[in-house]
């Protein structure tokens, strides 16, 4: 039997979680939440202990593992804002990342040291495409 997914919606109020992060991260989180709520029409929900997610979608890997995840989501971590994308960055033209500003990427994560270091219009285009 597969392990139960840790990342699932929780009843923890988003604002309670945001009280645990720095003021700068809290302000950046509110800005991202506003953008993501505008894109999705959904209210923010805590997924697991540290991911703020919008909407829900089911996934199933070729390995048989499956679960649910937010359609859009991010985590205001201490070192970086981690923005989660559904299918990785091969889906986005390299020009988006080239125009985005200071960032790092993982397979399907975008790491931002400061929200002020990126072009929010480009970030929004990427989030809209992901959604």
């Amino acid at each position: 039997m597969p392990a139960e997914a840790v990342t699932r919606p929780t009843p923890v109020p988003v604002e309670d979680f945001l009280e645990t992060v720095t003021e700068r991260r809290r302000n950046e989180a509110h800005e991202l939440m506003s953008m993501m709520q505008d894109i999705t029409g959904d209210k923010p929900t805590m997924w697991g202990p540290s991911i703020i997610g919008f909407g829900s979608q089911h996934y199933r890997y070729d390995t048989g593992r499956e679960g649910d995840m937010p359609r859009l989501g991010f985590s205001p971590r201490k070192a970086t804002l981690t923005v989660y994308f559904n299918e990785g960055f091969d889906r986005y033209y390299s020009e988006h990342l080239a125009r985005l500003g200071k960032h790092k990427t993982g397979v399907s994560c975008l790491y931002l040291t400061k929200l002020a270091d990126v072009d929010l219009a480009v970030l929004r285009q990427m989030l809209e495409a992901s959604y």
Side-chain angles (χ1 to χ4, degrees), residues 27-97:
N27 291 337
E28 291 171 328
H30 280 116
E31 196 165 351
L32 273 178
M33 287 183 342
S34 177
M35 183 185 297
M36 290 182 179
Q37 188 167 353
D38 186 49
I39 292 168
T40 66
D42 293 318
K43 295 206 178 297
T45 301
M46 289 304 302
W47 283 71
S50 63
I51 296 173
I52 299 170
F54 295 80
S56 178
Q57 65 185 356
H58 192 74
Y59 65 87
R60 184 184 327 252
Y61 295 125
D62 292 339
T63 61
R65 182 180 171 98
E66 62 183 292
D68 296 301
M69 61 187 257
R71 298 244 356 236
L72 289 182
F74 73 97
S75 182
R77 301 183 190 281
K78 185 175 182 177
T80 62
L81 284 166
T82 303
V83 183
Y84 301 100
F85 286 81
N86 298 328
E87 298 179 16
F89 293 103
D90 55 347
R91 199 176 155 182
Y92 306 106
Y93 299 111
S94 58
E95 65 191 51
H96 281 95
L97 292 174

Side-chain angles (χ1 to χ4, degrees), residues 22 24-26 28-29 32 75-83 100-105 110-118 123:
T22 66
R24 185 179 98 197
R25 283 289 184 249
R26 189 167 37 257
E28 291 171 328
L32 273 178
S75 182
R77 301 183 190 281
K78 185 175 182 177
T80 62
L81 284 166
T82 303
V83 183
L100 181 61
K102 188 176 176 183
H103 69 278
K104 292 182 181 178
T105 60
L110 179 66
Y111 303 103
L112 309 173
T113 304
K114 290 190 291 187
L115 200 54
D117 289 344
V118 299
L123 178 60

